[in-house]
Amino acid sequence: MNAMVNVTESATTNVSTNAIKLIGFKAYEALVRAGGDAQAIPGFAHTPYLHVNGEIIWLGSDLAELHPRAVIMERPFLLKGKTQHFDTSDSRPWHPHRGVLEAAHLPRVMETCRALCKPLQTLAPAKGFGSMLLNQVPEYPLNLASRNIENIACGFRKGSPEHVYQAALPLIGFGPGVTPPGDDFIGAALFGRALLAKSDAAAWDDIAQRLLGKAKDRSHIISSTLMADLIAGHSFAPLHQLAEALMYAQAQAEVIAAIQKLIRIGHSSGWDMLSGFIVGLTGRVSLCD
């Protein structure tokens, strides 16, 4: 995530004395195994990301950041020292729900997505690749990847995993931020595609793993880990809520509510994931054509 959470000297409490509001199952299991201790990640000491016996977790205070790896604290916090301690004894871990969209329901979902053009225009200005949903050109340097995004969408429309792989390859590690927009977009696109009940799931899983392998080489451990989570269907609660709202034909208000929470994540990560998710699920880039 791009600057996911602001951890500053004005925070009100030390994390070791702060109660946990919600915790994702991966963060919970890692902390239980480690006796509640987590360490700063070399090179990321001034970020909310921590290392727990081979697993990455992060801290937040915004419920929109709930994720299998997230620890959502009751109050804003201050990180002190290289080791942080968490009391998980009263916590119940959150597990994301992942459904399957039957092919017969895809036209309805695509129509619902097309109807989002005007509502999305009333939200905060679109950021990152999210601007392409509104038929706008993303800011530099993301505008340099516009053709790749269009080609990725074409690959999803054609049902061609190899087409998607070739178009997505240049986006691995592309863009600014702790998690580059290219990684967020690709991971979310594969998350969206995996919701479809198709007989060629193995072929899509193959290119997902190949792209993830490239991310481990071209990006860094935090971004490649979160991309792996997206591919595995484990992501932020608002993204899961959006998928459920679309799959189960919930009212547009429920869809918009999920999107509003999703786009709060990071500087542009929420928007990048939103656009990737819609491209992977529908094969469309702009919702305003």
Side-chain angles (χ1 to χ4, degrees), residues 92-108:
R92 297 183 63 182
W94 171 77
H95 291 259
H97 175 263
R98 185 172 177 81
V100 175
L101 179 66
E102 298 296 335
H105 297 157
L106 183 57
R108 170 184 54 76

Side-chain angles (χ1 to χ4, degrees), residues 206-228:
D206 176 67
I207 68 112
Q209 295 305 316
R210 288 161 60 194
L211 287 168
L212 180 57
K214 295 295 183 181
K216 291 178 179 178
D217 293 334
R218 297 182 183 181
S219 200
H220 55 74
I221 187 171
I222 293 175
S223 189
S224 61
T225 296
L226 296 185
M227 185 174 171

Side-chain angles (χ1 to χ4, degrees), residues 28-171:
Y28 176 83
E29 292 170 0
L31 286 168
V32 168
R33 289 194 301 269
D37 288 339
Q39 288 74 40
I41 301 174
F44 295 89
H46 300 294
T47 73
Y49 297 91
L50 298 170
H51 186 269
V52 186
N53 286 355
E55 288 286 358
I56 289 174
I57 68 170
W58 71 76
L59 314 185
S61 57
D62 186 342
L63 289 177
E65 297 166 3
L66 181 58
H67 180 282
R69 296 182 185 276
V71 183
I72 307 299
M73 312 304 294
E74 287 283 359
R75 298 183 301 281
F77 52 85
L78 176 66
L79 293 177
K80 291 183 178 180
K82 294 183 178 180
T83 299
Q84 311 298 327
H85 182 75
F86 299 85
D87 181 2
T88 60
S89 59
D90 293 328
S91 301
R92 297 183 63 182
W94 171 77
H95 291 259
H97 175 263
R98 185 172 177 81
V100 175
L101 179 66
E102 298 296 335
H105 297 157
L106 183 57
R108 170 184 54 76
V109 169
M110 294 184 68
E111 185 61 32
T112 300
C113 288
R114 282 194 291 269
L116 292 174
C117 176
K118 288 185 178 180
L120 285 181
Q121 292 174 339
T122 67
L123 303 180
K127 297 178 181 178
F129 289 122
S131 60
M132 297 185 70
L133 293 173
L134 303 179
N135 206 24
Q136 301 169 3
V137 178
E139 294 184 356
Y140 178 85
L142 302 190
N143 62 313
L144 302 177
S146 296
R147 180 64 62 86
N148 294 83
I149 299 296
E150 296 286 355
N151 285 337
I152 289 170
C154 179
F156 281 116
R157 288 197 304 273
K158 292 167 57 178
S160 173
E162 189 61 30
H163 187 135
V164 169
Y165 175 81
Q166 294 298 333
L169 198 54
L171 294 188

